[in-house]
Amino acid sequence: NEKGASAQINTNIVVATFDKDGKVVSATIDVAQQKAAFDMDGKLAGEVDLRTKCEKGDDYGMRGVSAIGKEVNEQYAALAEYFVGKTVEEIKAMPTFERDASHTNVPDVEDLKSSVTITVGDYLKALEEAAAMAK
């Protein structure tokens, strides 16, 4: 068409430590989401922002569209705090609901309703991978 191509790569990051019983002691969640635009000749058009979502903070822009007024880095922090003291199995058993086609695994947990509205399925998978690597 008259518009160049675009590309986006998302890398989900979950760093966690576990105690001897497999319970999460600490966790951090982030996403490296890089977007690139290309002109009609296939050349990079503009700069690629290499900051992670947490590094972007308010620049990410979720606060203005969030029903709870929370930026994505705040939601990641709340979800990571929820993980603490639980095993991966307990965390994976968290009830979720489908808010819309883009948000298919939103926590349906009273403790998170005012702090997390993002879909969490990919972060639960990443936590499971982190636990497997920790053993």
Side-chain angles (χ1 to χ4, degrees):
N1 297 335
E2 297 186 22
K3 193 175 179 185
S6 63
Q8 177 175 308
I9 298 172
N10 292 336
T11 304
N12 298 312
I13 303 161
V14 174
V15 178
T17 56
F18 303 88
D19 67 14
K20 64 180 177 53
D21 298 320
K23 292 185 178 183
V24 175
V25 174
S26 66
T28 301
I29 301 169
D30 204 347
V31 174
Q33 181 182 64
Q34 280 71 49
K35 300 176 184 180
F38 300 89
D39 64 20
M40 292 299 292
D41 296 323
K43 295 179 183 167
L44 190 60
E47 296 290 319
V48 177
D49 189 345
L50 298 176
R51 295 178 297 166
T52 67
K53 288 182 177 184
C54 286
E55 289 170 332
K56 289 177 183 174
D58 282 334
D59 289 345
Y60 185 73
M62 182 179 276
R63 186 180 314 282
V65 297
S66 168
I68 58 172
K70 301 279 185 183
E71 190 53 69
V72 71
N73 59 317
E74 295 171 304
Q75 295 195 39
Y76 289 158
L79 183 61
E81 183 61 32
Y82 175 79
F83 290 172
V84 173
K86 297 174 184 67
T87 65
V88 172
E89 292 74 26
E90 290 170 330
I91 296 165
K92 285 176 43 184
M94 164 191 345
T96 61
F97 70 97
E98 182 174 331
R99 187 175 76 222
D100 57 46
S102 298
H103 300 88
T104 58
N105 294 96
V106 176
D108 195 10
V109 176
E110 200 59 42
D111 289 348
L112 295 177
K113 287 186 179 182
S114 65
S115 59
V116 179
T117 60
I118 57 175
T119 194
V120 299
D122 290 341
Y123 311 120
L124 301 183
K125 289 177 192 172
L127 176 67
E128 187 173 31
E129 289 177 25
M133 287 190 276
K135 293 183 180 178

